[in-house]
Amino acid sequence: MTALDTPVVAPARRAAVRRAGKTGISGPLFVSGYVVLLVAFGVLPTLYAVYLAFTNVRGQFTGLNQFLRVFQDFRFWPAFGDILVYLVFWLLLIVVLTVGVAIVLRSRMPAPLSAALRFLYYIPGALAGVASVLVWLFMLDPSVSPANWLLTSLGLDTFAEVLAPGHLSLIFALIAFWTGAGGWIVVMYGALNNIPQEVLEAARMDGAGPWRLALHVQIPMIRKWIVYMVILAFAAGTQLFVEPQLLQTASLGRVSPTWSPNQLAYVYAFQHGDFNGAAAISLVLLVIGLAGAGLLVTRSGLFKVDEQ
């Protein structure tokens, strides 16, 4: 380097350092607002729930007694059994149908028709959760439903027969799918757009038909998006509350007020005034959600790209 180079390079380096410094600060500043909200409405309430779950009303440490007490409640295991059956229906519907519909829209539909259908699928997701449940209440009552012919053909002639305990898990899964599938179809369609066209053409030249292309190329290449969807769907499913609560109120008690664990925690907290027991149920749900997410993340390598 000559002496003439020094005045040119040094300012350029200083400018680069200044830009790097500004970028380094702007990132944390941008996310700091969310971090504050996360701590205020996520971390601190969780820590408070942990405190409540391991103490009694006088603030005395009780170990696992609160958990043992809610485990012995006759409503506890049926509520978790209900949510388990619901999760099976919900996850099967959201994974199989959402991914399948996205692949068909991406590969087997003219572009204008595909765009129109994606818009139609997304419309139910624009409704608030409460409004969606009210629409389904109307649709599920054979006396007023425009689809009563379908209900009666299935042997469901009265609202009480529709809301039989054995039907509730499937009904709630259908409501959740109707509300949430449209958004996930759009996400899966976007993920499919990231697959290079050369890869698809090479597979077709090797003789892959639509089924083989979907099973051996498209689905494996959007695996991380599918895992991400399953994690969020699983977490949302374990926290089911609005649908059974509204259906319980509107059906005049045909649905149990403790159908889901979240409802049971609500009853503990706001009908019995037992916030310690409610916190114990909430922590059980939190552990199940974290365990499910951790298993999916580690088995799928969801964050490997970020680590690289």
Side-chain angles (χ1 to χ4, degrees), residues 148-193:
N148 59 354
W149 57 271
L150 177 61
L151 296 171
T152 53
S153 67
L154 294 172
L156 305 172
D157 298 318
T158 65
F159 197 37
E161 290 177 345
V162 174
L163 297 182
H167 303 159
L168 291 177
S169 296
L170 180 58
I171 289 174
F172 294 139
L174 290 174
I175 295 174
F177 179 79
W178 183 76
T179 306
W184 284 116
I185 288 173
V186 173
V187 172
M188 292 300 129
Y189 189 91
L192 290 167
N193 281 336

Side-chain angles (χ1 to χ4, degrees), residues 94-119:
I94 197 71
V95 172
V96 176
L97 294 183
T98 297
V99 175
V101 169
I103 290 174
V104 171
L105 291 178
R106 177 67 180 81
S107 308
R108 312 297 295 177
M109 290 276 180
L113 179 59
S114 173
L117 288 175
R118 274 180 280 142
F119 175 72

Side-chain angles (χ1 to χ4, degrees), residues 29-275:
L29 282 177
F30 183 76
V31 301
S32 61
Y34 175 73
V35 171
V36 171
L37 294 175
L38 178 65
V39 171
F41 298 104
V43 176
L44 293 180
T46 301
L47 293 176
Y48 188 55
V50 172
Y51 166 76
L52 289 176
F54 287 95
T55 58
N56 58 21
V57 291
R58 294 183 293 277
Q60 298 168 327
F61 179 73
T62 58
L64 297 176
N65 285 349
Q66 299 295 347
F67 295 93
L68 296 175
R69 188 166 59 83
V70 296
F71 290 165
Q72 292 169 356
D73 189 322
F74 70 94
R75 300 165 295 184
F76 181 85
W77 295 110
F80 276 83
D82 291 336
I83 212 67
L84 177 63
V85 177
Y86 163 77
L87 282 172
V88 171
F89 284 128
W90 163 231
L91 293 179
L92 281 175
L93 285 173
I94 197 71
V95 172
V96 176
L97 294 183
T98 297
V99 175
V101 169
I103 290 174
V104 171
L105 291 178
R106 177 67 180 81
S107 308
R108 312 297 295 177
M109 290 276 180
L113 179 59
S114 173
L117 288 175
R118 274 180 280 142
F119 175 72
L120 288 175
Y121 292 145
Y122 187 74
I123 289 177
L127 289 174
V130 175
S132 298
V133 178
L134 293 177
V135 169
W136 273 86
L137 276 174
F138 180 71
M139 295 297 294
L140 291 173
D141 189 344
S143 64
V144 295
S145 173
N148 59 354
W149 57 271
L150 177 61
L151 296 171
T152 53
S153 67
L154 294 172
L156 305 172
D157 298 318
T158 65
F159 197 37
E161 290 177 345
V162 174
L163 297 182
H167 303 159
L168 291 177
S169 296
L170 180 58
I171 289 174
F172 294 139
L174 290 174
I175 295 174
F177 179 79
W178 183 76
T179 306
W184 284 116
I185 288 173
V186 173
V187 172
M188 292 300 129
Y189 189 91
L192 290 167
N193 281 336
N194 287 329
I195 300 176
Q197 194 61 30
E198 295 81 4
V199 174
L200 300 176
E201 290 299 329
R204 291 191 184 99
M205 291 178 66
D206 287 340
W211 280 105
R212 290 184 63 189
L213 195 66
L215 294 175
H216 299 292
V217 179
Q218 290 173 303
I219 291 177
M221 294 190 75
I222 64 169
R223 178 172 52 91
K224 289 187 177 180
W225 281 270
I226 297 173
V227 171
Y228 176 67
M229 176 179 67
V230 172
I231 290 173
L232 294 187
F234 181 79
T238 57
Q239 300 167 32
L240 187 69
F241 177 79
V242 173
E243 288 84 353
Q245 189 70 13
L246 282 180
L247 219 57
Q248 191 270 334
T249 304
S251 65
L252 303 177
R254 289 189 179 93
V255 178
S256 168
T258 58
W259 189 88
S260 74
N262 248 352
Q263 283 183 287
L264 180 59
Y266 177 85
V267 168
Y268 263 83
F270 299 106
Q271 292 187 12
H272 302 167
D274 184 356
F275 288 91

